[in-house]
Amino acid sequence: MSESWESIESVEPREADTPFDYAYDVVVVGTGGAGFATAMGAADEGMSVLMVESTDKWGGSTAMSGGGLWLPDNPLMKRDGVGDSRDEALAYLEATVGDAGRATSRERKEAFVDGVADLVTTAEKYGMVFTRAADYPDYYPELPGGKIGRAIEAKPIDAKTIGPWRRSIRTSALMPVKTDDVWLMQRSWSTPAGFVRGAEVALRMLGSVVRGQRLAGIGAALTTSFLKAVVGKLGVPLWLNAPLRSLIVEDGRVVGVRVMRSGRSVTVGASRGVMLAAGGFDHNTEWRQKYHGIEGAPSGNPGNLGQAIAIAQSAGAAVELMDDAWWGASVAAPPGHDPSFIVGERALPYSILVDACGERFANESESYVDLGHHMLEHDRDGAFWLVADARHARRYLRTFAMDPRLTKAMAQAGIMAKAATLEELATKLDIEPARLRATVDRFNGFARSGVDGDFGRGNSAYDRYYGDPTVHPNPCLGPLEKGPFTAFRVVVGDLGTKGGILTDADARALREDATAIEGLYAAGNSSASVMGRTYPGPGSTIGPATVFGLRAARHMGQMNG
């Protein structure tokens, strides 16, 4: 942790008629998708709003993400004539999420599905432009209610349209890419479709330069679009370097906050409510050890230290799912670098994932949350390796191995190895050569038959989405036969923590007895996820975060100021 914030007084009483330094109807803590959606909805309701951000960068983990929003039965699907319904969406949520505690109640599932249309149309009302990721499947499309194409994303947007704000966005990756670019571009030089898409992206980048633009895509596009709408069009003020210090309570109701601003402690009134949308605790190593048993290898916002959750607890809020996260697999990083969260790379042919004994233990192509859970269950503290033959490196774009300087540093750190034979590679990894050879020989037999008899890799439409359609009979299976062979150390990574403040259908913070803490709301990774312990589809973090943010704003709009 960067500061000893746990020692700060988190709740302070307020006597009636004591003036605030500033006064608004709504204060939003955090500037990711949940925070922006709340601010947008509150301003749409005619309320005055202030957004505060604890760091010098706005956008949170949303800006660093793929930017997708999983929104079943959304308006874009209806406009395209794509079949979906409320009943199918709820059936799918019951089949995937099920009952994982109070955060996943039927009421909250219904609130999420029922809030989708309002989110999309309200955002469009203020100039945000979305497009469908039409080919992206749900992560369990074969289950009841499963579909393909429920996710949406913001279209690439010129970051120059937000003026100086573009210099403080929480990402340096301002590239005009979309979700469906990523899966095709990773095979830019192995399939015709990949080559065409790579050329399209290159032309898009060149065109933006010629036009004097700085196009932002994926998560940066979503947060840039939100800021342009909320700060630009709706005039909502946003304070950077303004960490939350405490909630101000009067007669049991949260009526404001104390934050730091320009090195000074100030009070801000919030007559309608305070939204805690400050992210999870993925970069709080003490909490990670306490709740997860590992320090973690997070890929989210480094400002996510859990302060908002701790402050809400001091106000009586219950928490749930604190032992879980948006898990996945990440390629380990050498000193001074960040881990690389991998999705499509591990689904491609000519590669396998093995444990410290050289054995496969899961379907490498499965959803990242499932793989992360399997890694934790299999060997929480052990070594894992992504082993690939020469074709994996030659045919596919591997984001974690594009910089020769980085791969050199990885080799020096012992987290990457290369050898002419599998036996030599095994020796370098401290694996018994015969065991790795047996694992690869068994896998190669599955690859030639087209059926993974151990873990079903490539059976699902989700698996095949990231596969190589030129590889037969299974686009996710390719034998490891051609040297040199490489191995990259893989660790349990995550896109953020999943546990947090327990909330109701309108994102109100709840006590253990299920009563609401008046004036206090939470959404995004500051709250316990409605998705429970799974990940139904692409954008299952940002989709609910934004929907519940907007629902909170609608609820505040009904309150008397």
Side-chain angles (χ1 to χ4, degrees), residues 423 426 431-441:
E423 286 76 11
I431 293 174
E432 171 59 42
R435 293 188 71 173
L436 182 61
R437 167 55 69 184
T439 295
V440 170
D441 286 347

Side-chain angles (χ1 to χ4, degrees), residues 399-420:
T399 55
F400 56 84
M402 294 174 64
D403 185 346
R405 295 168 298 180
L406 179 60
T407 53
K408 181 179 179 180
M410 294 171 76
Q412 292 173 341
I415 54 179
M416 192 275 277
K418 189 174 184 179

